[in-house]
């Protein structure tokens, strides 16, 4: 891919404040293989691992050119958070009887054009991960427009409608059972995945503290074995 069409590592660049994970989940209520449960819909750990692997392969050249690296645990946590929000938004859209706005279809079309040189698995991973954030915003906008119209506002601007949709999604998250496996160390707060400090082991020492930083430390990331980092 050319420099103008390279896939952007959206999970890392976005404000997804997660830390490196990897602890077990003994003693929790999660069934083996479940990364998140969104009111009965599940995201599996297998699907997350497959997405992360294919996504990492998709952006490997970009990371090599940039001279950067990302701990795989950091990336897994970001993916779980994004997929959890997307699943919640999908259920909200079904309840409200709306479809995501045209911005979502346009974003996917642009991503498909940018990833034409990738394998099918890599392209699908980029579309699902990078597209999830756009999907959530597009659903929020559609829901907001509908609700404001029902409340008598016939032509609300996008900012007003989007915020109304954000509020509705947050309310949905509060009213429904949404759980993320503590292994990933995140939770959804105000519609965003944030570091929840939910891991079942407490890191000690400089290396462990570095692993738990909100942004991936490059010196630490590059010190990891190849099997534990992207780039």
């Amino acid at each position: 891919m050319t420099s103008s069409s390279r896939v952007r590592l959206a999970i890392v660049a976005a404000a997804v404040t997660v830390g490196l994970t990897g602890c077990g989940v003994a003693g929790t209520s999660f069934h083996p293989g479940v990364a998140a449960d969104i009111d009965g819909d599940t995201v599996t750990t297998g699907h997350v691992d497959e997405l992360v692997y294919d996504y990492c392969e998709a952006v490997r050249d970009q990371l090599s050119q940039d001279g950067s690296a990302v701990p795989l645990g950091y990336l897994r946590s970001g993916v779980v958070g994004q997929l959890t929000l997307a699943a919640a938004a999908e259920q909200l859209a079904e309840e409200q009887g709306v479809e995501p706005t045209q911005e979502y279809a346009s974003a996917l079309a642009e991503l498909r054009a940018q990833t034409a040189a990738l394998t099918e698995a890599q392209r699908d991973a980029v579309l699902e991960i990078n597209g999830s954030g756009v999907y959530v915003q597009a659903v929020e906008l559609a829901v907001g427009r509908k609700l404001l119209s029902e409340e008598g506002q016939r032509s609300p601007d996008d900012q007003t409608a989007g915020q109304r949709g954000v509020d509705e999604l947050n309310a949905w998250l509060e009213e429904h059972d949404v759980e993320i496996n503590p292994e990933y160390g995140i939770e959804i707060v105000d519609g965003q995945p944030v570091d929840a400090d939910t891991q079942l082991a407490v890191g000690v020492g400089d290396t462990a503290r570095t692993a738990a930083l909100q942004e991936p430390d490059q010196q630490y990331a590059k010190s990891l074995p190849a099997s534990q980092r992207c780039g």
Side-chain angles (χ1 to χ4, degrees), residues 127-188:
L127 289 172
E128 184 167 355
I129 292 175
N130 286 29
S132 62
V134 182
Y135 175 79
V136 171
Q137 292 177 352
V139 167
E140 289 170 341
L141 185 56
V143 169
R145 285 173 177 170
K146 177 194 175 185
L147 294 177
L148 289 175
S149 176
E150 293 174 348
E151 294 163 5
Q153 298 188 43
R154 297 301 178 185
S155 300
D157 59 73
D158 286 351
Q159 182 175 356
T160 301
Q163 185 58 53
R164 183 68 174 85
V166 168
D167 293 342
E168 192 66 20
L169 179 57
N170 286 340
W172 191 96
L173 289 166
E174 288 290 330
E175 295 167 0
H176 294 76
D177 293 328
V178 178
E179 295 182 278
I180 297 177
N181 193 318
E183 176 182 352
Y184 297 95
I186 56 172
E187 64 183 5
I188 305 299

Side-chain angles (χ1 to χ4, degrees), residues 89-107:
E90 183 176 11
Q91 291 193 41
L92 175 62
E94 291 176 357
E95 289 182 9
Q96 292 292 336
V98 301
E99 296 289 337
T101 57
Q102 181 59 37
E103 287 82 356
Y104 176 59
S106 299

Side-chain angles (χ1 to χ4, degrees), residues 70-84:
V70 181
L72 286 183
Y74 182 97
L75 189 54
R76 286 191 187 95
S77 294
V79 168
V80 171
Q82 293 287 17
L83 295 186
T84 298

Side-chain angles (χ1 to χ4, degrees), residues 9-165:
L9 196 55
I11 292 296
V12 175
V16 181
T17 53
V18 298
L20 182 64
T21 63
C23 304
V25 291
T28 71
S29 61
F30 271 85
H31 295 292
V34 175
D37 188 311
I38 306 93
D39 205 36
D41 288 343
T42 59
V43 176
T44 68
T45 57
H47 183 58
V48 171
D49 290 343
E50 183 178 316
L51 279 179
V52 167
Y53 173 81
D54 290 328
Y55 192 81
C56 186
E57 290 298 306
V59 299
R60 185 177 300 278
D61 289 344
Q62 176 196 330
L63 291 175
S64 296
Q65 292 175 27
D66 293 343
S68 57
V70 181
L72 286 183
Y74 182 97
L75 189 54
R76 286 191 187 95
S77 294
V79 168
V80 171
Q82 293 287 17
L83 295 186
T84 298
L85 281 177
E90 183 176 11
Q91 291 193 41
L92 175 62
E94 291 176 357
E95 289 182 9
Q96 292 292 336
V98 301
E99 296 289 337
T101 57
Q102 181 59 37
E103 287 82 356
Y104 176 59
S106 299
L108 287 187
E110 183 177 354
L111 278 173
R112 288 191 180 96
Q114 291 176 349
T115 57
L118 299 178
T119 68
E120 183 178 359
Q122 292 168 3
R123 183 170 59 253
D124 288 346
V126 172
L127 289 172
E128 184 167 355
I129 292 175
N130 286 29
S132 62
V134 182
Y135 175 79
V136 171
Q137 292 177 352
V139 167
E140 289 170 341
L141 185 56
V143 169
R145 285 173 177 170
K146 177 194 175 185
L147 294 177
L148 289 175
S149 176
E150 293 174 348
E151 294 163 5
Q153 298 188 43
R154 297 301 178 185
S155 300
D157 59 73
D158 286 351
Q159 182 175 356
T160 301
Q163 185 58 53
R164 183 68 174 85

